[in-house]
Amino acid sequence: MKILVCISHVPDTTSKINFTDGDTKFDTNGVQFVINPNDEFGLTRAMWFKEKQGAVVHVVNVGGPETEPTLRKALAIGADEAIRVNTPATDGFSVAKQLANVVKEGGYNLVIAGRESIDYNGGMMPGILAKLTGSNFVNTCIGLEVDGDKATVIREIDGGKETLKTSLPLVVGGQKGIVEESDLRIPNMRGIMQARTKPLTVKEPVDASAETATVSFEKPAPKGQVKLVDNVDQLIDLLHNEAKVI
Amino acid sequence: MSVLVYTESEEGVIKKIALEAVSYAKGIADQMGTSVTAISINANNTSELAKYGASKVLEVSDDKLNKFNGEAYADAIAQAAKNEDAKVIVLTSSANSKFLAPTLAVDLNAGFVPNVVALPERTSPFKVKHSVFTNKAFAHTEIKTEVKIVGLGKNTFGLKESETSMSNEAFSPNLDAHDFDMEIVSVDKATDQVTIADAEIVVSAGRGLKGPENWGMIEDLANTLGAATACSKPVSDMGWRPHSEHVGQTGKPVASNLYIAIGISGAIQHLAGINSSKVKVVINNDPEAPFFKAADYGIVGDAFEIVPQLNEKLKAFKAQNN
Ligand SMILES: Cc1cc2nc3c(=O)[nH]c(=O)nc-3n(C[C@H](O)[C@H](O)[C@H](O)COP(=O)(O)OP(=O)(O)OC[C@H]3O[C@@H](n4cnc5c(N)ncnc54)[C@H](O)[C@@H]3O)c2cc1C
Ligand SMILES: Nc1ncnc2c1ncn2[C@@H]1O[C@H](COP(=O)(O)O)[C@@H](O)[C@H]1O
């Protein structure tokens, strides 16, 4: 099995979100970038396939040179090789076009991506990639087993979950559940040392247009003061008469 | 030309988010000088769609589509979009819509923007406002393709009545074997519970509750309010509650009318996921808890005292007001 794990490089969850250049660009000043949490769960599941089923695991990012430390971290966690497609990520559709090319050239039969990246929350890349590569697709994936070219996948749905049987080639959009929080691995010294010498290939992009373009950003209006109440009667009264939600 | 809206149903009943999507589609259709066509799959009664502005409904009824199947559903909607020459397709932000959107985007060569919160500022060029950075900000994004897909964020637009005379048409898409490559082996779903996705009210609790044995009072309060239950991430990580209840930046988003947070500190990752709820109430014994800065109403006090009191008083309130 040859697995490609898609890694998006996103601001750490504690980041303050600000914009520059007249609210047209995300302000990266002081922002720490990390592996997108949904992708980290997927990468950890891929390590399990590597250790238990002898899978080869490559990681990929579409982005500029600034994303390489994030890819090195994925190598330190245990991926065998990394690929960076050297073009800025604009929208999910154009990223998927780049990755479709990587999937075809590399002959991967399982692609593990995340349900969504926590920056732009597009949630569209994996589904488009599946369609472009003629693969089966399962989103909000919380369980994945592979046996030969058959896969059993658990998908989270509103109010529960469903179990599906499908086959490779397959693209999943993963999230917490595909492995548990406690399964996540912090790279150790040995991993970090090894990661330095593992291959990180830079690939030039294919021609791919973006279908959407973000023109500007805006922050939510500042929040009013909280109203503190002393007892539940006051609370019920306010929720009924003022907020009108009960 | 028309605006096509996929109106989701559950067990044959059109969902409220679908009616919100129709209201929104009607808003776009008015801006563009055209009308709204809805497509429903195995819905029993679609008459309500007229109330929110649909002029036509394409009704698909096919036993093979009783369970959601992304490939087949997307194929049906894409065929409807082509037949209707739809230039805008409106979906919601449900798990199923999020499954369909990318497939449709490829089928129709369309740009897609999710989590949209308002009508387009203009339709030519077509520019919409949507939430990004898990509700920490908004972006204004232009869709450049001829066909456009928007995913409406839940509870952002509301229901807007616009009674229209509506025609019903049976629609039988051509589905091939490839549409059914994926076999659904089992569905495991609590049917007697309100889901976080559909709930108007969500009662959520955190590590302040000390242990799973103390969730009875949270469930009681949720029952009284007809609410869904939710929790913070550590609570699900420790196995006190199921993962499906974990809300926040790395869990589920909550866009309810009322969100009640009990014994939750209000970490940035938690707030990110619940920010788009309309009214937030916090119950916490630490007046310095960051949640108080993000809430509309708050009580500083011990959850173990306040929650049972709140439940009793709410029961009395409900009895009086119903
Ligand atoms: C990458 C990453 C992603 C994350 N994603 C999420 C996410 O999606 N969702 C999420 O929730 N968290 C997330 N977190 C975790 C987050 O940072 C916090 O650790 C978490 O939200 C805290 O949970 P809590 O409020 O239940 O617990 P605590 O922070 O321990 O807070 C408990 C609160 O209960 C109060 N309390 C104690 N006793 C009582 C009492 N008797 N009555 C009333 N109040 C009481 C305390 O004053 C305190 O404020 C994430 C963290 C990271 C690093
Ligand atoms: N620039 C990128 N490079 C590699 N993978 C990406 C990139 N952007 C998104 N992905 C993958 O696609 C998933 C969904 O992203 P998105 O559609 O942007 O929300 C992410 O969790 C990643 O696995």
Side-chain angles (χ1 to χ4, degrees), chain A residues 3-52:
Chain A
I3 306 178
L4 184 67
V5 181
C6 305
I7 302 282
S8 82
H9 158 92
V10 298
D12 166 46
T13 55
T14 58
S15 305
K16 294 265 179 293
I17 306 299
N18 289 307
F19 303 101
T20 58
D21 295 22
D23 282 340
T24 60
K25 284 206 175 62
F26 175 61
D27 184 359
T28 56
N29 209 344
V31 171
Q32 179 88 26
F33 281 85
V34 296
I35 299 177
N36 182 42
N38 291 316
D39 305 347
E40 194 174 347
F41 290 110
L43 175 61
T44 310
R45 186 65 191 159
M47 294 329 308
W48 188 92
F49 286 120
K50 177 180 158 156
E51 285 152 18
K52 297 281 173 11

Side-chain angles (χ1 to χ4, degrees), chain B residues 134-135 247-255 268-277:
Chain B
T134 5
N135 297 312
V247 299
Q249 189 161 15
T250 52
K252 282 202 177 64
V254 182
I268 187 165
Q269 298 95 348
H270 186 86
L271 296 179
I274 60 99
N275 256 341
S276 51
S277 288

Side-chain angles (χ1 to χ4, degrees), chain B residues 169-214:
Chain B
E169 270 178 35
F171 179 62
S172 315
N174 284 317
L175 300 177
D176 54 33
H178 177 65
D179 284 324
F180 299 94
D181 270 354
M182 202 105 64
E183 185 203 342
I184 302 167
V185 191
S186 64
V187 179
D188 176 4
K189 194 164 166 174
T191 45
D192 55 337
Q193 278 168 18
V194 193
T195 67
I196 293 172
D198 288 333
E200 308 271 333
I201 302 179
V202 173
V203 176
S204 187
R207 202 146 57 181
L209 284 217
K210 314 277 189 281
E213 66 281 7
N214 296 324

Side-chain angles (χ1 to χ4, degrees), chain A residues 58 88 127:
Chain A
H58 292 180

Side-chain angles (χ1 to χ4, degrees), chain B residues 23-271:
Chain B
S23 305
Y24 181 84
K26 174 66 174 159
I28 295 190
D30 287 346
Q31 286 176 321
M32 297 176 69
T34 178
S35 61
V36 175
T37 301
I39 172 168
S40 69
I41 298 178
N42 292 356
N44 301 331
N45 183 351
T46 56
S47 57
E48 217 185 344
L49 302 176
K51 193 161 136 196
Y52 299 96
S55 302
K56 175 155 95 176
V57 55
L58 302 173
E59 297 181 330
V60 180
S61 54
D62 184 338
D63 283 343
K64 291 201 296 298
L65 301 178
N66 276 340
K67 284 185 193 142
F68 176 79
N69 171 321
E71 200 61 47
Y73 274 46
D75 203 2
I77 297 167
Q79 288 176 35
K82 286 177 190 155
N83 284 355
E84 292 291 307
D85 190 24
K87 293 291 177 278
V88 180
I89 291 121
V90 177
L91 303 173
T92 68
S93 293
S94 69
N96 289 353
S97 270
K98 289 196 164 168
F99 197 122
L100 294 170
T103 309
L104 281 170
V106 178
D107 280 340
L108 300 170
N109 196 13
F112 164 61
V113 173
N115 308 319
V116 168
V117 298
L119 283 174
E121 291 145 60
R122 56 180 76 87
T123 55
S124 177
F126 193 94
K127 203 169 112 188
V128 280
K129 178 174 173 179
H130 57 114
S131 70
V132 288
F133 295 100
T134 5
N135 297 312
K136 290 178 197 162
F138 298 103
H140 298 266
T141 296
E142 189 186 318
I143 307 182
K144 298 190 285 191
T145 44
E146 195 194 345
V147 178
K148 294 142 183 96
I149 305 178
V150 292
L152 181 67
K154 186 194 157 200
N155 224 345
T156 52
F157 191 71
L159 296 175
K160 307 239 181 337
E161 288 189 20
S162 178
E163 191 74 48
T164 306
S165 84
M166 182 175 79
S167 62
N168 299 47
E169 270 178 35
F171 179 62
S172 315
N174 284 317
L175 300 177
D176 54 33
H178 177 65
D179 284 324
F180 299 94
D181 270 354
M182 202 105 64
E183 185 203 342
I184 302 167
V185 191
S186 64
V187 179
D188 176 4
K189 194 164 166 174
T191 45
D192 55 337
Q193 278 168 18
V194 193
T195 67
I196 293 172
D198 288 333
E200 308 271 333
I201 302 179
V202 173
V203 176
S204 187
R207 202 146 57 181
L209 284 217
K210 314 277 189 281
E213 66 281 7
N214 296 324
W215 248 262
M217 63 181 190
I218 302 299
E219 282 169 350
D220 290 346
L221 180 60
N223 271 339
T224 306
L225 287 165
T229 48
C231 69
S232 67
K233 178 168 177 286
V235 164
S236 76
D237 288 344
M238 292 181 295
W240 294 1
R241 300 295 292 175
H243 282 316
S244 53
E245 287 197 359
H246 160 198
V247 299
Q249 189 161 15
T250 52
K252 282 202 177 64
V254 182
S256 54
N257 281 333
L258 174 60
Y259 183 76
I260 304 180
I262 300 159
I264 299 179
S265 58
I268 187 165
Q269 298 95 348
H270 186 86
L271 296 179

